[in-house]
Amino acid sequence: MAAAVASAGLRRRPGGVWGAVARRLLQVTAPQSQSRDKPETRHPQYPGIVESTEEYKFVERLIPPTRIPAPPKHAQYPTPSGWRAPSDTPPALPYFVRRSRMHNVPVYKDITSGNRRMTVIRKIEGDIWALEEEVKEFLTQLAGKPPPIQVNEITGSIRIKGYFDNELKEWLLNKGF
Amino acid sequence: MIRAGSRLWSRGAAARALATSAGRLGLTEAPVPSPHVVDAASQAEKPPLVTPSAPVLRDCCLAIPSHRTAVQAWVESLRHYEDRHVGLADLHPDVFAVMPRVDILHTVAVWQRNYKRISYAKVKTRAEVRGGGKKPWAQKGSGRARHGSIRSPLWRGGGIIHGPRGPTSYYYMLPMKVRVLGLKVALTTKLMQDNLHIVDGLDMPTCDPQYLADLARYRHWGQSVLIVDVNKMPENIMKATASLKTITLVPALGLNVHSILKHETLVLTLDTVAFLEEKLLWHDSRYTALHPFRLPYSDFP
């Protein structure tokens, strides 16, 4: 490429200062082009262009994956971070609460207009009303009075007034979800 | 009627092999076709009926969650108009048995209609209408109402105040996962409403469009059929569907919610089912994009 650029420069401005510079450039690049064409006239110090694909593995290991891996089997649960695996067999209940894509229990806090605190349980499949009954019973024991609960059958989620995320996470984990 | 009976009897081997599955599903024998359809088919040239030795059974390659089981559908064939029970296919429940979210179907269908829309309507305001720089008559003395220009919006031929202004784009993008869920819900609805048919391949005995139309009518596929395939489609079906208005052939990458809802029946090949399951399920367990998906990732589906 350098040789082509140099020769193009020569063609545009013949003679003069550019001629000397181009001639020097051509002299430098000549061994490379010569070594590519004629192996016999290869200069001992300039071996020419050698293509190697050995180093591509350093690039490949930097390209990120897309899929979230399944968590490995730990010796003891809970793990040091407090994570617990779901049970291998699904619990014998009329409903099922799936884990999130990062393998966590899908209980989230929500807040609107600064003071309306809510807890959401998402990804519920099966009989959502049975889960609602059990949640109502569990939270009545905790809070003394039954908190307002909204069931959204279509999206499979339950919304509860107040912050109960840690208790509900623990409760669902104990059930085996 | 007797001819129909003998044809059903000769396919007894395949029927018996699938008896257990059929019994499990609680399915009965296929309904006897109406006489005029049988006569039309028998009068035409009958291609040889090739009964496969074993039923085509398709398992779900991708892991199914432990609390769910696969949904099933018959595998049919286009080689003969009676080839309705060639095998049984297991379909992944997270693609073909999701919650029927009609609101998501509506959202995605409306998006499909509107995101390409550019409305070119434009009207001139009083500044753009030709003329109207001069005050038509003096402010006082003429007895008429006071006006400053003949192109004000009060005047006939004047400019429009709040009309459409210039090409307007209605482009917006729904999140990728919403569009993916829309496809899953559409496939689920088609399966649950008995409008989804799985076909082992698109090999046809003839390139006659009438054969395909008669087959669709015999099998009660509905007014319009959408056939989807992944690989290069055989010549016969391409020629047959080229002249038919109600039967459309589409590559798997062109599958969209609007087309699925527009056509009454959806016909997928086994390769298409595998392709769709792989592509649609990848979204359930993928990281959020670090960089656009058109740039390289190590395990992009």
Side-chain angles (χ1 to χ4, degrees):
Chain A
M1 200 184 90
V5 165
S7 55
L10 249 190
R11 255 179 265 120
R12 258 187 256 116
R13 279 179 264 260
V17 181
W18 293 107
V21 171
R23 246 176 277 125
R24 229 179 291 123
L25 276 171
L26 272 177
Q27 273 165 14
V28 169
T29 55
Q32 281 181 7
S33 54
Q34 272 176 18
S35 67
R36 216 180 295 140
D37 300 288
K38 292 163 232 173
E40 305 86 42
T41 56
R42 211 173 276 157
H43 199 282
Q45 209 178 344
Y46 301 104
I49 297 169
V50 173
E51 276 188 26
S52 152
T53 49
E54 301 296 318
E55 286 78 24
Y56 189 65
K57 63 178 192 291
F58 297 107
V59 173
E60 269 183 336
R61 68 187 196 186
L62 290 171
I63 300 175
T66 52
R67 277 171 231 266
I68 299 171
K73 294 259 178 293
H74 292 86
Q76 204 200 17
Y77 292 113
T79 55
S81 66
W83 183 80
R84 280 159 67 181
S87 62
D88 295 319
T89 52
L93 292 161
Y95 49 85
F96 189 83
V97 179
R98 229 186 249 234
R99 290 280 182 117
S100 72
R101 64 182 63 217
M102 295 295 187
H103 311 290
N104 295 321
V105 177
V107 175
Y108 308 100
K109 288 207 292 238
D110 192 9
I111 185 159
T112 341
S113 60
N115 50 14
R116 190 184 197 187
R117 300 180 188 104
M118 294 171 280
T119 315
V120 184
I121 311 174
R122 278 187 64 238
K123 295 176 86 75
I124 303 166
E125 295 167 20
D127 189 358
I128 195 167
W129 294 102
L131 175 61
E132 190 244 357
E133 283 298 323
E134 297 196 20
V135 162
K136 212 187 311 194
E137 200 190 296
F138 171 66
L139 293 179
T140 319
Q141 277 173 13
L142 266 184
K145 61 175 189 209
I149 301 183
Q150 183 199 42
V151 167
N152 191 335
E153 278 185 71
I154 303 161
T155 56
S157 63
I158 288 178
R159 189 172 280 268
I160 305 146
K161 183 176 178 183
Y163 278 165
F164 298 105
D165 58 316
N166 294 321
E167 293 91 341
L168 281 171
K169 268 189 195 141
E170 192 60 43
W171 183 69
L172 285 171
L173 280 167
N174 290 334
K175 280 191 182 280
F177 291 120
Chain B
M1 288 294 258
I2 298 163
R3 227 174 282 156
S6 66
R7 222 173 282 119
L8 283 168
W9 180 256
S10 67
R11 301 183 54 64
R16 255 176 272 122
L18 299 166
T20 45
S21 340
R24 197 158 22 99
L25 286 167
L27 286 172
T28 51
E29 267 288 325
V32 177
S34 54
H36 66 273
V37 178
V38 170
D39 286 344
S42 57
Q43 273 158 28
E45 260 191 38
K46 267 176 299 192
L49 174 56
V50 178
T51 317
S53 51
V56 172
L57 296 165
R58 188 233 169 212
D59 282 318
C60 224
C61 318
L62 302 146
I64 299 177
S66 51
H67 67 286
R68 303 229 36 203
T69 50
V71 272
Q72 291 176 323
W74 286 114
V75 177
E76 304 180 20
S77 170
L78 297 177
R79 290 186 203 93
H80 191 270
Y81 73 95
E82 279 248 354
D83 253 351
R84 289 166 95 164
H85 307 290
V86 166
L88 208 58
D90 271 357
L91 305 170
H92 201 287
D94 286 342
V95 175
F96 289 93
V98 296
M99 186 66 95
R101 294 286 303 268
V102 190
D103 61 319
I104 292 208
L105 276 184
H106 171 263
T107 316
V108 178
V110 163
W111 167 77
Q112 263 193 275
R113 250 186 288 148
N114 287 338
Y115 84 102
K116 288 180 248 194
R117 178 181 169 208
I118 303 178
S119 105
Y120 297 97
K122 183 175 183 178
V123 292
K124 294 179 167 30
T125 55
R126 62 182 290 175
E128 290 164 355
V129 176
R130 182 97 171 163
K134 184 158 141 309
K135 193 168 170 64
W137 45 77
Q139 179 82 357
K140 301 183 74 61
S142 68
R144 288 172 284 186
R146 52 192 178 178
H147 288 290
S149 115
I150 58 164
R151 300 301 187 203
S152 99
L154 273 49
W155 282 66
R156 174 193 173 279
I160 307 291
I161 313 176
H162 290 305
R165 293 298 297 155
T168 339
S169 154
Y170 291 84
Y171 172 81
Y172 66 102
M173 286 310 280
L174 284 178
M176 201 190 296
K177 292 174 194 165
V178 172
R179 288 177 269 140
V180 164
L181 185 57
L183 270 174
K184 289 177 185 165
V185 173
L187 291 168
T188 309
T189 354
K190 284 296 177 195
L191 179 68
M192 295 308 164
Q193 294 180 339
D194 294 332
N195 287 330
L196 183 76
H197 299 273
I198 314 264
V199 157
D200 59 350
L202 293 184
D203 309 308
M204 290 229 299
T206 55
C207 63
D208 184 17
Q210 193 56 39
Y211 169 77
L212 196 56
D214 285 339
L215 188 144
R217 221 171 75 241
Y218 177 77
R219 295 189 189 177
H220 307 288
W221 276 1
Q223 291 292 339
S224 46
V225 182
L226 183 64
I227 307 180
V228 192
D229 193 11
V230 195
N231 314 321
K232 193 170 179 307
M233 292 136 197
E235 281 293 321
N236 276 351
I237 193 140
M238 284 179 74
K239 281 187 200 143
T241 46
S243 47
L244 283 170
K245 245 175 110 171
T246 55
I247 302 184
T248 322
L249 191 58
V250 134
L253 287 169
L255 195 61
N256 58 85
V257 167
H258 179 269
S259 298
I260 295 177
L261 293 174
K262 188 80 182 172
H263 294 80
E264 211 174 310
T265 322
L266 184 61
V267 174
L268 304 175
T269 56
L270 288 172
D271 295 327
T272 316
V273 170
F275 173 84
L276 286 173
E277 284 185 350
E278 198 206 328
K279 295 278 180 183
L280 296 177
L281 285 171
W282 170 73
H283 289 278
D284 282 345
S285 60
R286 65 166 173 90
Y287 287 116
T288 183
L290 271 180
H291 47 254
F293 286 119
R294 57 185 161 81
L295 297 173
Y297 278 93
S298 61
D299 60 353
F300 193 74

